[in-house]
Structure formats: structure tokens, C-alpha cells
Amino acid sequence: MVFSDLFFLFVFLPAFLLCYLIATWVDQKCLSDEATHSNRAKNLILVCFSLIFYAWGEPVYVFLMLFCVFVNYLVGLGIDRSEQYRKAILVIGLILNIAIIGTFKYLGFFAQCLCDMGIEVAKPNIALPIGISFYTFQSISYLIDVYRRESPVQRRFPDLLLYISMFPQLIAGPIVRYGTVADEIHHRRVNAADFSDGLYRFLIGLGKKVILANQLSEISDQFLVNGLNSLTMAGAWIGIVAFTLQIYFDFSGYSDMAIGLGRCMGFHFNENFRHPYCCNSITDFWRRWHISLGSFFRDYVYIPLGGNRHHQAVNILVVWFLTGMWHGASWNFIIWGVYFGLIVMLEKYTLLKVHDRIPAVFLHIYSMLLVIAGWGIFYFDNFDQMIVFFQAFFGNVTSFYDFVDESALLDNFWLWVIALFFCLPVRTTVGEWTDRLLGDSPLRTMVIYTSRIILSVGILILSTALLVGATNNAFIYTRF
């Protein structure tokens, strides 16, 4: 089940919100006293619906997730209660988590590598559980934060299960640190403003996914899948730019929907995107893209390895090798990670030292050209197809431009314009203009809420119309 699904939008989500509302009443009237505010009923509903949400597509692997949570629950308690062996317990917990993700995500890849080297081994045919990369990394961050005493240990298994299985961010992130939501598991309240902001953010994400990403995917598939063997240079650029926009609106749309749903329930997840295509270096790009993954590797890999203090270049390459591996068990992801690792490392010693002396427009063009080329590596897990694409991308083809390319541009003119426009910080700019023009007057509130209602209703109607009969609706990052 995915958020941009008619069943989720019109059956699962309304049913959840109704049950959650009833649970809120139960907490307030039956389970709370004057001194405390209970969330027990709401938490129970959230856990139940989260398990249903995950089991809907993969009923077997819900037991794997439950096993992972139980293991990490016991390891967390062991770290908290033991002073002498807490480091050893942490290491055991990390090994178990890495073993789980390694078995289901990388065992087949390593077996294939051995076969390619002439060492015949059996290749296991193991399906990849949805979201395993996200909930495993959340489990790892929980154990390390408990070990560092940066977060309290969770003594109730259902509450740790709530943290890891929470359906808004379960299958495609963002990677939520336990410390971010630890207090809100037991102490959260939702007012009308929270619910309104959360619902609006959810619908903005829905629009990004259905109205923009899904339509852009048809253009990228037209050139990079169906038309790869007859690709022109212009077609290669059109296809990969469409994918560049598609993956941004797809993943940032999911993050918006996750953050919005969390807000509706009283959780405040950290931002995961900050207009990455407005970057002025590759280093800047990765500070803006998938922020939760970047901060995970920074805090749990880069800094422990020595960070900027010792062997900085090696540390950067290790982090980016692991970043590529995290995205998938395929050589193209490893190459993609090393590609960006080398650029980030070189920028540390070159570009960033003279960054302020270079015109911003040249920095932006430089950054986007490298980002677009990087998405070309990311897209193709078949090296023969990748070679065909990059030959066309760099002009090593007989035809530069044809009628198909022209049609893709002109027939989708407004899609291109709107997609490029919404890569900019539109909401921030509009908010600043509104504050300047209207200040804190009652008119400002009326204008904001009226425009939000109109935009939200429009997005919901148009998205529903586009989803009827849609065949290409999966989120890209559910593969990871």
C-alpha cells in the first residue's frame, strides 16, 4: 500500500483518522487523570494500523519487522542495564541488524559477484522486504543513541514498535531519530492548527507525486526505457532531466506526506529536503537532499571514523561507498556513490576554498550538470544500457534531435514549466511576501487559509482523476 493510492486515500486513511479520533476521546475521558495526559489508546490504534499498512503488501515480512524490533528492544535494555558489557552488547546489536539487512538485501549480490569471479556458489532468490533499509537504520540509530546516552531507552516493547513501525515513515523514510519523537510518543497533543498544517502538507506531497512525478515518469520511460536504442543526444538529455525532476518530486513528495501525516498525529519529523536543485555545489546539494540519510552517515560513520580531524578524504569515500550500497545491491549504485564521494572530496580541497569568488550562476550550472550526470548512473543497473545512454548523452550518436524530442518538449510544455518552478522555494517566498504585505492582520490569516483550502481541494480532485486507471504509481524509494 502506498500513500498515492485510492484505497489508502479514501478507505485506509479515513478509517484510521476515525479510529484515532475515537482513541483520542478514550484517552481524554477514560485513561487520563488531572495530572497526566495519556496517549495509550492513540498509540495502540497507530501500531495496529501501521502493522496492517505494512502487511497489506507483504504479510510474511511483517513478522521479520516484528522480530527486528524485538531484538533491538532486548539489546537496548541490555545496553541500558549493563555498565561493564554495554559496548559488547551494542556491537552484538549492530551485527544482528547488519546481518538482517545484509541477508535480505545483499546476499544475492555478493553471491553473483563470486560467480562472476569464477567461484560457483548458489544464488539465493530472496525478495527484498519493503522499507528494510529505513527501519533497520532507525533501529541502529536507536541503539547507538541509547549507548551514547543521547536518548532514553524504551522500556515498553509496544512503544518501541510504534517508533519503528509508524506507517507514515515506515517504507520510504525519512529516517526519524528516536530522540526526535521519544517524548511525543507519550506526551503529544494535536490542535486544529497542527491538523490543518499536517493535512495541507500531506496534500502538497500528494500533488508532487501524482500531478508531477507520475507524469514526468512517462517522459523518462519514453526515452530511457522504450526509446533507448534509438536515442538522440537531445532525447538523452530530455529523458534524464525528466528523471531528475521525477525523483525529486517523487521522494520529496513522499517526505511531505510522511511529515504531514506525522503532524496530524502530533509528531514533528525533521525536514528531509531543502530545495536541492537550488544548490551551488555538490556539497551543498547533499546538504539539501535526503537530509535524514546524510545526517545518519555523518553522525554514525563519518564523525566516528575521524571526520575532518583524521583521514578526511578516506572518511568521505567510505561514507559515499556506503551511501551507494544503501541505495541498492547493484554496481551502478556503488559507482554512483563513489562518483559523488570523489566530487565532494575534491570540492573540499578546491572549489570550496574559492567558492565566494565564483559567480553563483556558474556554480549552479556546474552543480546541476554533475547532478544530472549522476542520476544517469543511478538510473541504469544494466551497464550495456548505461553505455548506450551516456554515448547519446555526450553526443556520440548519429542524430542530435528528432520529432519525438520536439513532441516531448512541446506537448508537455506546461508540465516542464510547473516542475521547474516548484523546484524553487515557492512556499517560502510566498510566505515572506504575504508577511510583508499583510503583516499580522486578520486578513493575512483569512488569505492564507482560503488559499490553502482552494489549493488543497484542487490537488485532491486532480490527483484523484489522475489516479483512476493509473499504472505507474509506485514510489521510487520503496525499492531501497
Side-chain angles (χ1 to χ4, degrees), residues 126-336:
I126 304 175
L128 178 66
I130 292 176
I132 190 170
S133 298
F134 289 94
Y135 69 71
T136 302
F137 269 35
Q138 288 196 180
S139 300
I140 290 173
S141 72
Y142 165 73
L143 296 182
I144 295 176
D145 287 351
V146 169
Y147 173 78
R148 292 175 174 175
R149 295 189 171 92
E150 294 176 357
S151 294
V153 69
Q154 180 51 257
R155 301 189 182 281
R156 298 187 69 250
F157 173 75
D159 291 338
L160 186 63
L161 178 61
L162 169 65
Y163 159 63
I164 293 178
S165 71
M166 199 185 309
F167 76 85
Q169 47 78 55
L170 173 60
I171 63 173
I175 300 171
V176 178
R177 305 282 186 90
Y178 179 69
T180 303
V181 298
D183 185 64
E184 292 176 337
I185 289 175
H186 300 291
H187 308 99
R188 67 183 187 276
R189 293 177 180 269
V190 182
N191 55 36
D194 283 328
F195 188 84
S196 172
D197 289 344
L199 186 60
Y200 176 69
R201 184 71 178 271
F202 174 84
L203 290 170
I204 290 293
L206 179 67
K208 284 183 176 182
K209 167 60 179 171
V210 178
I211 301 172
L212 295 177
N214 284 4
Q215 313 314 308
L216 289 161
S217 71
E218 296 182 5
I219 300 174
S220 64
D221 287 350
Q222 176 187 352
F223 290 95
L224 305 181
V225 178
N226 304 323
L228 185 63
N229 293 327
S230 58
L231 207 57
T232 64
M233 182 178 180
W237 279 86
I238 292 169
I240 200 59
V241 169
F243 179 72
T244 297
L245 295 170
Q246 174 199 345
I247 195 171
Y248 168 64
F249 287 114
D250 189 282
F251 193 21
S252 70
Y254 187 98
S255 294
D256 284 340
M257 297 168 86
I259 292 168
L261 286 174
R263 186 73 178 273
C264 289
M265 294 180 281
F267 293 99
H268 295 77
F269 303 153
N270 293 331
E271 293 295 332
N272 206 28
F273 287 84
R274 197 171 62 251
H275 312 295
Y277 294 154
C278 295
C279 61
N280 53 29
S281 69
I282 296 303
T283 302
D284 184 41
F285 173 78
W286 286 109
R287 288 171 181 159
R288 297 166 175 263
W289 179 280
H290 203 349
I291 298 169
S292 62
L293 181 66
S295 64
F296 179 95
F297 279 116
R298 180 196 65 210
D299 295 342
Y300 301 124
V301 179
Y302 182 70
I303 293 176
L305 284 175
N308 300 335
R309 304 183 308 276
H310 308 291
H311 314 296
Q312 183 182 26
V314 174
N315 299 340
I316 290 173
L317 291 177
V318 169
V319 164
W320 280 100
F321 174 82
L322 294 175
T323 301
M325 282 289 291
W326 179 88
H327 278 85
S330 176
W331 281 108
N332 68 303
F333 293 121
I334 296 173
I335 295 170
W336 174 81

Side-chain angles (χ1 to χ4, degrees), residues 1 24 59 95 108 113 117 189 208 250 268 275 295 318 327-328 338 365 396 405 414 417-418 428 451 455 476:
M1 192 187 307
T24 302
I95 291 173
C113 290
M117 294 167 57
R189 293 177 180 269
K208 284 183 176 182
D250 189 282
H268 295 77
H275 312 295
S295 64
V318 169
H327 278 85
V338 174
I365 293 172
N396 187 19
D405 305 335
W414 288 110
V417 171
I418 293 170
T428 303
S451 60
L455 183 59
I476 293 173

